[in-house]
Amino acid sequence: MSVNESAFSVAPPAKAGARSKKKDKASPDKRERILRAAIKVFARKGFYATRVSEIAKAAGVADGTIYLYFKNKDDVLIRIFEDRLTKLLEFLRKETLAIEGVEARLRRIIELQLGLLEGQRDLAEVITVNLRQSSRLLKQYAAPLFNEYLEFIASIFSEGQREGIIRKDVHPRTLSRALWGALDGIALT
Amino acid sequence: MSVNESAFSVAPPAKAGARSKKKDKASPDKRERILRAAIKVFARKGFYATRVSEIAKAAGVADGTIYLYFKNKDDVLIRIFEDRLTKLLEFLRKETLAIEGVEARLRRIIELQLGLLEGQRDLAEVITVNLRQSSRLLKQYAAPLFNEYLEFIASIFSEGQREGIIRKDVHPRTLSRALWGALDGIALT
Amino acid sequence: MSVNESAFSVAPPAKAGARSKKKDKASPDKRERILRAAIKVFARKGFYATRVSEIAKAAGVADGTIYLYFKNKDDVLIRIFEDRLTKLLEFLRKETLAIEGVEARLRRIIELQLGLLEGQRDLAEVITVNLRQSSRLLKQYAAPLFNEYLEFIASIFSEGQREGIIRKDVHPRTLSRALWGALDGIALT
Amino acid sequence: MSVNESAFSVAPPAKAGARSKKKDKASPDKRERILRAAIKVFARKGFYATRVSEIAKAAGVADGTIYLYFKNKDDVLIRIFEDRLTKLLEFLRKETLAIEGVEARLRRIIELQLGLLEGQRDLAEVITVNLRQSSRLLKQYAAPLFNEYLEFIASIFSEGQREGIIRKDVHPRTLSRALWGALDGIALT
DNA sequence: CATGAATGAGTTTTCATTCAT
DNA sequence: GATGAATGAAAACTCATTCAT
């Protein structure tokens, strides 16, 4: 399973029987289209510099439509974190835990991570950049998720320390932060 | 010489004999006060979420005063990069080149870097965060300076590769990005 | 055809079959309402002394609405010139060229002009006053149109000179300027 | 006596005995310098578009100095009208009344007027343009003076009508307005 | 559901005026 | 008197959000 066709690369779920009912006027995944458009635009211009109208245009919907699916502009960013980060985390867990041995696991994480950061540059950009300078509100929602992510990687380092294959004088949490930072730095190229 | 009393921790230059001679116009350090206030506020809330009036209040000046020293809000951020990053780079160069051996140098850089990122958390925050999602204009000014910084670290890795103490299958530039990312990630705590 | 129901006294074009077909978007005459309000207020207070909010209030729209139809305050003035002066010129041409003989034509011009300046005092005021002391930008747009207007009158004087019924020792262009000035001076009452 | 060295082309009054007292620090005619500078800048950019600091720079004084001689920016314009228009009127009266015959007088007025408008383009510009679109306050001061000026010319037309050499079906006041307008229009070239 | 024109609160920025030196 | 840095009230303009169609 490649990273780029991974679970968090959400694709509209196959649209079962073509045009289910009659009208089906509500294009089936307008919400999804908006999220994707938002990721793209947020990545390019940052949250604050992005106009709601730009998201709308990129998604091919009217400005007002955004407010049918999201409470407000902040909410769009929050949902990006929630939807995507959750899926990313699940995916990482599944992929990693299937592997035996701390070193192999870390290699797999790095591999996935770099693959992710390459294939989903936009998403990574949104996560890293916007995590920091956004409103209190956002931080409340997003930070816990990101923390969970770091915690997961830390847990692997922790295991490595117990097994004695990783130096013990650095806190696993610090290691996980350093790893994320390094990978993110690399991917920025 | 500690990082936190370093060259880039700009202090109004002692004003030799108080009220030197005649003119002494343009309140010598008001500009500096504004820059410092801006760094502090930008770090906390990010560039876009920061109101010019907040910078003014933090600096203890009137809103309009900002515009006596800076062209506009963008310009304030640009000058932060210009003033500070330049000084930081000079400082790093001086400190590092005085040291013999690639490994020792890298240790010193990490040491300084972590010291900086701790002692000047605000500045580091502004540099890292705002470098990414800001206006074209800013990127034009800031990115080159940041690149110079990465280039400097890359040059040390490069030397290490020639000396055979650093693996040669990764580009020095990638290494420098990874190092910055890791250190930044750590400091974020 | 009276001057005051003339072509340049723009009225929303009757909107043929009410609510024509489908779209009918962009409130058809809001732009027009704003232009009219602006002419009125500019005439009374001058361009610079007029607040955008005053135009908005006079037009019965919100401040921001102005910016849906015009780039900025300058643009409002520019469009007044463009829309109105162009129509005025067309009107004058049509009315005048239908008449035989230089003297009769000039009489008709004076008649129309005074009618205009009376019936559309506001517009005349805006044209004359604001043509002079405004920004480079405006002059670029407005002056050529005003010149075209003067040129048209000059062409009639020119014809009169060829026919020998107007003294030849004054340049037609000077005559047209003098005529405009005199009529404007009179109308100022 | 040429128009351009006329009474209303105020020159600092010869500075009697060089450097009267001792210090004489107050440059003798700073007020006059400011007025002249203001006329020049107002003519070029109009009252509203002119910054107080621009007048100051043109006059070679500090911004604050202006407020030692004038109550505020409005006051500067008011004094221009008062000082200059008064002098202009006196001058016109003296010059004209020395001449015999209505036609000769009018010729002289036109001559002077065109000379003035040429030699003192700036002043004429300020008078004509700014008379119209400025604040209530200004109009209160300036209009009466301008009216007096028109009244004077009207009186000559009036005399001409009594003498039967000027058509009687137009009000003298209208004639004077037309004359001013025509001359102003010509001079605008 | 979808639209997008309209709104107006909230920001940036300007500049006349003041006042400590 | 003269200065010009500092002030802050006032204006232009932006853009998230609403709501009639």
Side-chain angles (χ1 to χ4, degrees), chain D residues 29-54:
Chain D
D29 270 271
K30 207 154 274 190
R31 189 190 131 99
E32 186 55 33
R33 255 165 62 203
I34 294 170
L35 273 185
R36 288 174 181 224
I39 289 174
K40 196 177 297 176
V41 191
F42 283 161
R44 197 166 306 135
K45 318 190 51 168
F47 178 75
Y48 279 103
T50 296
R51 312 290 144 232
V52 170
S53 62
E54 292 177 301

PDB file of all heavy atoms in Angstrom, chain D residues 29-54:
ATOM      1  N   ASP D  29      10.376  87.571   7.153  1.00  0.00           N
ATOM      2  CA  ASP D  29       9.083  87.350   6.526  1.00  0.00           C
ATOM      3  C   ASP D  29       8.759  85.887   6.344  1.00  0.00           C
ATOM      4  O   ASP D  29       8.364  85.446   5.270  1.00  0.00           O
ATOM      5  CB  ASP D  29       9.015  88.103   5.217  1.00  0.00           C
ATOM      6  CG  ASP D  29       8.466  89.479   5.463  1.00  0.00           C
ATOM      7  OD1 ASP D  29       7.248  89.636   5.423  1.00  0.00           O
ATOM      8  OD2 ASP D  29       9.276  90.377   5.773  1.00  0.00           O
ATOM      9  N   LYS D  30       8.900  85.182   7.419  1.00  0.00           N
ATOM     10  CA  LYS D  30       8.598  83.761   7.370  1.00  0.00           C
ATOM     11  C   LYS D  30       7.137  83.547   6.970  1.00  0.00           C
ATOM     12  O   LYS D  30       6.815  82.665   6.192  1.00  0.00           O
ATOM     13  CB  LYS D  30       8.894  83.145   8.733  1.00  0.00           C
ATOM     14  CG  LYS D  30       9.242  81.689   8.646  1.00  0.00           C
ATOM     15  CD  LYS D  30      10.114  81.238   9.811  1.00  0.00           C
ATOM     16  CE  LYS D  30      11.579  81.489   9.522  1.00  0.00           C
ATOM     17  NZ  LYS D  30      12.468  80.845  10.524  1.00  0.00           N
ATOM     18  N   ARG D  31       6.305  84.393   7.497  1.00  0.00           N
ATOM     19  CA  ARG D  31       4.892  84.286   7.155  1.00  0.00           C
ATOM     20  C   ARG D  31       4.682  84.406   5.651  1.00  0.00           C
ATOM     21  O   ARG D  31       3.963  83.635   5.031  1.00  0.00           O
ATOM     22  CB  ARG D  31       4.109  85.401   7.856  1.00  0.00           C
ATOM     23  CG  ARG D  31       2.596  85.257   7.735  1.00  0.00           C
ATOM     24  CD  ARG D  31       1.886  86.508   8.237  1.00  0.00           C
ATOM     25  NE  ARG D  31       0.911  86.943   7.267  1.00  0.00           N
ATOM     26  CZ  ARG D  31      -0.404  86.687   7.350  1.00  0.00           C
ATOM     27  NH1 ARG D  31      -0.873  86.072   8.391  1.00  0.00           N
ATOM     28  NH2 ARG D  31      -1.225  87.079   6.400  1.00  0.00           N
ATOM     29  N   GLU D  32       5.363  85.380   5.081  1.00  0.00           N
ATOM     30  CA  GLU D  32       5.252  85.586   3.650  1.00  0.00           C
ATOM     31  C   GLU D  32       5.789  84.391   2.868  1.00  0.00           C
ATOM     32  O   GLU D  32       5.192  83.937   1.887  1.00  0.00           O
ATOM     33  CB  GLU D  32       6.034  86.852   3.277  1.00  0.00           C
ATOM     34  CG  GLU D  32       5.884  87.278   1.836  1.00  0.00           C
ATOM     35  CD  GLU D  32       4.422  87.452   1.431  1.00  0.00           C
ATOM     36  OE1 GLU D  32       3.598  87.847   2.280  1.00  0.00           O
ATOM     37  OE2 GLU D  32       4.102  87.137   0.269  1.00  0.00           O
ATOM     38  N   ARG D  33       6.903  83.868   3.329  1.00  0.00           N
ATOM     39  CA  ARG D  33       7.489  82.716   2.653  1.00  0.00           C
ATOM     40  C   ARG D  33       6.521  81.534   2.666  1.00  0.00           C
ATOM     41  O   ARG D  33       6.386  80.798   1.685  1.00  0.00           O
ATOM     42  CB  ARG D  33       8.791  82.308   3.347  1.00  0.00           C
ATOM     43  CG  ARG D  33      10.035  82.708   2.555  1.00  0.00           C
ATOM     44  CD  ARG D  33      11.280  82.630   3.388  1.00  0.00           C
ATOM     45  NE  ARG D  33      11.591  81.293   3.868  1.00  0.00           N
ATOM     46  CZ  ARG D  33      12.355  81.060   4.947  1.00  0.00           C
ATOM     47  NH1 ARG D  33      12.843  82.082   5.643  1.00  0.00           N
ATOM     48  NH2 ARG D  33      12.604  79.834   5.320  1.00  0.00           N
ATOM     49  N   ILE D  34       5.852  81.385   3.796  1.00  0.00           N
ATOM     50  CA  ILE D  34       4.895  80.293   3.902  1.00  0.00           C
ATOM     51  C   ILE D  34       3.730  80.499   2.940  1.00  0.00           C
ATOM     52  O   ILE D  34       3.313  79.579   2.232  1.00  0.00           O
ATOM     53  CB  ILE D  34       4.382  80.160   5.349  1.00  0.00           C
ATOM     54  CG1 ILE D  34       5.536  79.738   6.265  1.00  0.00           C
ATOM     55  CG2 ILE D  34       3.259  79.140   5.423  1.00  0.00           C
ATOM     56  CD1 ILE D  34       5.215  79.798   7.746  1.00  0.00           C
ATOM     57  N   LEU D  35       3.226  81.727   2.914  1.00  0.00           N
ATOM     58  CA  LEU D  35       2.115  82.019   2.006  1.00  0.00           C
ATOM     59  C   LEU D  35       2.478  81.703   0.567  1.00  0.00           C
ATOM     60  O   LEU D  35       1.718  81.071  -0.166  1.00  0.00           O
ATOM     61  CB  LEU D  35       1.712  83.489   2.124  1.00  0.00           C
ATOM     62  CG  LEU D  35       0.692  83.838   3.208  1.00  0.00           C
ATOM     63  CD1 LEU D  35       0.304  85.307   3.111  1.00  0.00           C
ATOM     64  CD2 LEU D  35      -0.545  82.962   3.083  1.00  0.00           C
ATOM     65  N   ARG D  36       3.650  82.152   0.144  1.00  0.00           N
ATOM     66  CA  ARG D  36       4.075  81.902  -1.228  1.00  0.00           C
ATOM     67  C   ARG D  36       4.209  80.418  -1.522  1.00  0.00           C
ATOM     68  O   ARG D  36       3.800  79.936  -2.579  1.00  0.00           O
ATOM     69  CB  ARG D  36       5.429  82.558  -1.488  1.00  0.00           C
ATOM     70  CG  ARG D  36       5.345  84.053  -1.579  1.00  0.00           C
ATOM     71  CD  ARG D  36       6.717  84.629  -1.686  1.00  0.00           C
ATOM     72  NE  ARG D  36       6.611  86.081  -1.750  1.00  0.00           N
ATOM     73  CZ  ARG D  36       7.295  86.834  -2.598  1.00  0.00           C
ATOM     74  NH1 ARG D  36       8.137  86.256  -3.448  1.00  0.00           N
ATOM     75  NH2 ARG D  36       7.133  88.120  -2.615  1.00  0.00           N
ATOM     76  N   ALA D  37       4.825  79.741  -0.573  1.00  0.00           N
ATOM     77  CA  ALA D  37       5.003  78.305  -0.767  1.00  0.00           C
ATOM     78  C   ALA D  37       3.633  77.637  -0.887  1.00  0.00           C
ATOM     79  O   ALA D  37       3.408  76.788  -1.747  1.00  0.00           O
ATOM     80  CB  ALA D  37       5.781  77.724   0.402  1.00  0.00           C
ATOM     81  N   ALA D  38       2.728  78.076  -0.038  1.00  0.00           N
ATOM     82  CA  ALA D  38       1.393  77.468  -0.039  1.00  0.00           C
ATOM     83  C   ALA D  38       0.692  77.703  -1.368  1.00  0.00           C
ATOM     84  O   ALA D  38       0.070  76.798  -1.933  1.00  0.00           O
ATOM     85  CB  ALA D  38       0.566  78.042   1.108  1.00  0.00           C
ATOM     86  N   ILE D  39       0.785  78.925  -1.890  1.00  0.00           N
ATOM     87  CA  ILE D  39       0.153  79.220  -3.175  1.00  0.00           C
ATOM     88  C   ILE D  39       0.684  78.273  -4.242  1.00  0.00           C
ATOM     89  O   ILE D  39      -0.065  77.686  -5.020  1.00  0.00           O
ATOM     90  CB  ILE D  39       0.421  80.683  -3.584  1.00  0.00           C
ATOM     91  CG1 ILE D  39      -0.367  81.629  -2.680  1.00  0.00           C
ATOM     92  CG2 ILE D  39       0.057  80.910  -5.043  1.00  0.00           C
ATOM     93  CD1 ILE D  39      -0.056  83.092  -2.904  1.00  0.00           C
ATOM     94  N   LYS D  40       1.996  78.105  -4.222  1.00  0.00           N
ATOM     95  CA  LYS D  40       2.613  77.252  -5.229  1.00  0.00           C
ATOM     96  C   LYS D  40       2.102  75.804  -5.114  1.00  0.00           C
ATOM     97  O   LYS D  40       1.704  75.186  -6.096  1.00  0.00           O
ATOM     98  CB  LYS D  40       4.137  77.294  -5.057  1.00  0.00           C
ATOM     99  CG  LYS D  40       4.898  76.774  -6.251  1.00  0.00           C
ATOM    100  CD  LYS D  40       6.407  76.904  -6.061  1.00  0.00           C
ATOM    101  CE  LYS D  40       6.838  78.375  -5.930  1.00  0.00           C
ATOM    102  NZ  LYS D  40       8.283  78.504  -5.652  1.00  0.00           N
ATOM    103  N   VAL D  41       2.098  75.302  -3.906  1.00  0.00           N
ATOM    104  CA  VAL D  41       1.739  73.893  -3.737  1.00  0.00           C
ATOM    105  C   VAL D  41       0.236  73.678  -3.898  1.00  0.00           C
ATOM    106  O   VAL D  41      -0.194  72.726  -4.525  1.00  0.00           O
ATOM    107  CB  VAL D  41       2.220  73.366  -2.371  1.00  0.00           C
ATOM    108  CG1 VAL D  41       2.089  71.854  -2.333  1.00  0.00           C
ATOM    109  CG2 VAL D  41       3.655  73.767  -2.125  1.00  0.00           C
ATOM    110  N   PHE D  42      -0.556  74.602  -3.364  1.00  0.00           N
ATOM    111  CA  PHE D  42      -2.010  74.490  -3.537  1.00  0.00           C
ATOM    112  C   PHE D  42      -2.369  74.484  -5.015  1.00  0.00           C
ATOM    113  O   PHE D  42      -3.263  73.755  -5.453  1.00  0.00           O
ATOM    114  CB  PHE D  42      -2.724  75.667  -2.858  1.00  0.00           C
ATOM    115  CG  PHE D  42      -2.816  75.546  -1.366  1.00  0.00           C
ATOM    116  CD1 PHE D  42      -3.067  76.662  -0.572  1.00  0.00           C
ATOM    117  CD2 PHE D  42      -2.655  74.314  -0.737  1.00  0.00           C
ATOM    118  CE1 PHE D  42      -3.175  76.556   0.806  1.00  0.00           C
ATOM    119  CE2 PHE D  42      -2.742  74.205   0.648  1.00  0.00           C
ATOM    120  CZ  PHE D  42      -3.006  75.330   1.418  1.00  0.00           C
ATOM    121  N   ALA D  43      -1.697  75.356  -5.779  1.00  0.00           N
ATOM    122  CA  ALA D  43      -2.000  75.448  -7.200  1.00  0.00           C
ATOM    123  C   ALA D  43      -1.724  74.131  -7.896  1.00  0.00           C
ATOM    124  O   ALA D  43      -2.460  73.692  -8.771  1.00  0.00           O
ATOM    125  CB  ALA D  43      -1.178  76.560  -7.842  1.00  0.00           C
ATOM    126  N   ARG D  44      -0.637  73.501  -7.487  1.00  0.00           N
ATOM    127  CA  ARG D  44      -0.227  72.270  -8.167  1.00  0.00           C
ATOM    128  C   ARG D  44      -1.084  71.077  -7.760  1.00  0.00           C
ATOM    129  O   ARG D  44      -1.447  70.262  -8.594  1.00  0.00           O
ATOM    130  CB  ARG D  44       1.249  71.994  -7.859  1.00  0.00           C
ATOM    131  CG  ARG D  44       1.874  70.989  -8.818  1.00  0.00           C
ATOM    132  CD  ARG D  44       3.389  71.016  -8.698  1.00  0.00           C
ATOM    133  NE  ARG D  44       3.920  72.371  -8.878  1.00  0.00           N
ATOM    134  CZ  ARG D  44       4.850  72.936  -8.107  1.00  0.00           C
ATOM    135  NH1 ARG D  44       5.379  72.254  -7.104  1.00  0.00           N
ATOM    136  NH2 ARG D  44       5.262  74.164  -8.333  1.00  0.00           N
ATOM    137  N   LYS D  45      -1.414  70.995  -6.482  1.00  0.00           N
ATOM    138  CA  LYS D  45      -2.056  69.774  -6.014  1.00  0.00           C
ATOM    139  C   LYS D  45      -3.452  69.972  -5.441  1.00  0.00           C
ATOM    140  O   LYS D  45      -4.126  69.002  -5.122  1.00  0.00           O
ATOM    141  CB  LYS D  45      -1.186  69.099  -4.949  1.00  0.00           C
ATOM    142  CG  LYS D  45       0.303  69.100  -5.297  1.00  0.00           C
ATOM    143  CD  LYS D  45       1.113  68.235  -4.370  1.00  0.00           C
ATOM    144  CE  LYS D  45       0.570  66.847  -4.200  1.00  0.00           C
ATOM    145  NZ  LYS D  45       1.494  65.936  -3.529  1.00  0.00           N
ATOM    146  N   GLY D  46      -3.848  71.193  -5.314  1.00  0.00           N
ATOM    147  CA  GLY D  46      -5.139  71.442  -4.687  1.00  0.00           C
ATOM    148  C   GLY D  46      -5.011  71.452  -3.178  1.00  0.00           C
ATOM    149  O   GLY D  46      -4.068  70.904  -2.615  1.00  0.00           O
ATOM    150  N   PHE D  47      -5.961  72.055  -2.555  1.00  0.00           N
ATOM    151  CA  PHE D  47      -5.898  72.236  -1.101  1.00  0.00           C
ATOM    152  C   PHE D  47      -5.864  70.914  -0.345  1.00  0.00           C
ATOM    153  O   PHE D  47      -4.988  70.688   0.489  1.00  0.00           O
ATOM    154  CB  PHE D  47      -7.118  73.056  -0.660  1.00  0.00           C
ATOM    155  CG  PHE D  47      -7.183  73.272   0.812  1.00  0.00           C
ATOM    156  CD1 PHE D  47      -6.334  74.188   1.438  1.00  0.00           C
ATOM    157  CD2 PHE D  47      -8.101  72.583   1.589  1.00  0.00           C
ATOM    158  CE1 PHE D  47      -6.406  74.399   2.805  1.00  0.00           C
ATOM    159  CE2 PHE D  47      -8.180  72.786   2.959  1.00  0.00           C
ATOM    160  CZ  PHE D  47      -7.330  73.696   3.565  1.00  0.00           C
ATOM    161  N   TYR D  48      -6.788  70.034  -0.673  1.00  0.00           N
ATOM    162  CA  TYR D  48      -6.894  68.801   0.117  1.00  0.00           C
ATOM    163  C   TYR D  48      -5.727  67.863  -0.100  1.00  0.00           C
ATOM    164  O   TYR D  48      -5.284  67.181   0.815  1.00  0.00           O
ATOM    165  CB  TYR D  48      -8.203  68.086  -0.196  1.00  0.00           C
ATOM    166  CG  TYR D  48      -9.364  68.670   0.546  1.00  0.00           C
ATOM    167  CD1 TYR D  48     -10.273  69.499  -0.082  1.00  0.00           C
ATOM    168  CD2 TYR D  48      -9.519  68.419   1.909  1.00  0.00           C
ATOM    169  CE1 TYR D  48     -11.342  70.059   0.609  1.00  0.00           C
ATOM    170  CE2 TYR D  48     -10.574  68.962   2.609  1.00  0.00           C
ATOM    171  CZ  TYR D  48     -11.475  69.784   1.954  1.00  0.00           C
ATOM    172  OH  TYR D  48     -12.520  70.322   2.657  1.00  0.00           O
ATOM    173  N   ALA D  49      -5.234  67.838  -1.313  1.00  0.00           N
ATOM    174  CA  ALA D  49      -4.147  66.908  -1.604  1.00  0.00           C
ATOM    175  C   ALA D  49      -2.813  67.428  -1.078  1.00  0.00           C
ATOM    176  O   ALA D  49      -1.815  66.722  -1.092  1.00  0.00           O
ATOM    177  CB  ALA D  49      -4.057  66.647  -3.098  1.00  0.00           C
ATOM    178  N   THR D  50      -2.795  68.669  -0.644  1.00  0.00           N
ATOM    179  CA  THR D  50      -1.546  69.241  -0.145  1.00  0.00           C
ATOM    180  C   THR D  50      -1.365  68.930   1.329  1.00  0.00           C
ATOM    181  O   THR D  50      -2.261  69.147   2.136  1.00  0.00           O
ATOM    182  CB  THR D  50      -1.542  70.767  -0.337  1.00  0.00           C
ATOM    183  OG1 THR D  50      -1.572  71.062  -1.726  1.00  0.00           O
ATOM    184  CG2 THR D  50      -0.292  71.380   0.269  1.00  0.00           C
ATOM    185  N   ARG D  51      -0.199  68.414   1.669  1.00  0.00           N
ATOM    186  CA  ARG D  51       0.098  68.133   3.075  1.00  0.00           C
ATOM    187  C   ARG D  51       0.733  69.359   3.710  1.00  0.00           C
ATOM    188  O   ARG D  51       1.516  70.048   3.048  1.00  0.00           O
ATOM    189  CB  ARG D  51       1.076  66.959   3.203  1.00  0.00           C
ATOM    190  CG  ARG D  51       0.722  65.753   2.389  1.00  0.00           C
ATOM    191  CD  ARG D  51      -0.485  65.042   2.920  1.00  0.00           C
ATOM    192  NE  ARG D  51      -1.304  64.490   1.846  1.00  0.00           N
ATOM    193  CZ  ARG D  51      -2.591  64.703   1.717  1.00  0.00           C
ATOM    194  NH1 ARG D  51      -3.246  65.490   2.545  1.00  0.00           N
ATOM    195  NH2 ARG D  51      -3.267  64.157   0.737  1.00  0.00           N
ATOM    196  N   VAL D  52       0.420  69.590   4.941  1.00  0.00           N
ATOM    197  CA  VAL D  52       1.039  70.702   5.648  1.00  0.00           C
ATOM    198  C   VAL D  52       2.553  70.577   5.585  1.00  0.00           C
ATOM    199  O   VAL D  52       3.276  71.564   5.419  1.00  0.00           O
ATOM    200  CB  VAL D  52       0.572  70.738   7.122  1.00  0.00           C
ATOM    201  CG1 VAL D  52       1.386  71.730   7.912  1.00  0.00           C
ATOM    202  CG2 VAL D  52      -0.896  71.103   7.183  1.00  0.00           C
ATOM    203  N   SER D  53       3.025  69.361   5.659  1.00  0.00           N
ATOM    204  CA  SER D  53       4.477  69.157   5.622  1.00  0.00           C
ATOM    205  C   SER D  53       5.064  69.564   4.265  1.00  0.00           C
ATOM    206  O   SER D  53       6.216  69.978   4.184  1.00  0.00           O
ATOM    207  CB  SER D  53       4.805  67.690   5.916  1.00  0.00           C
ATOM    208  OG  SER D  53       4.244  66.865   4.923  1.00  0.00           O
ATOM    209  N   GLU D  54       4.268  69.471   3.225  1.00  0.00           N
ATOM    210  CA  GLU D  54       4.757  69.884   1.911  1.00  0.00           C
ATOM    211  C   GLU D  54       4.905  71.393   1.843  1.00  0.00           C
ATOM    212  O   GLU D  54       5.869  71.906   1.272  1.00  0.00           O
ATOM    213  CB  GLU D  54       3.794  69.416   0.817  1.00  0.00           C
ATOM    214  CG  GLU D  54       3.767  67.905   0.636  1.00  0.00           C
ATOM    215  CD  GLU D  54       2.748  67.481  -0.416  1.00  0.00           C
ATOM    216  OE1 GLU D  54       1.539  67.793  -0.245  1.00  0.00           O
ATOM    217  OE2 GLU D  54       3.141  66.848  -1.388  1.00  0.00           O
TER     218      GLU D  54
END
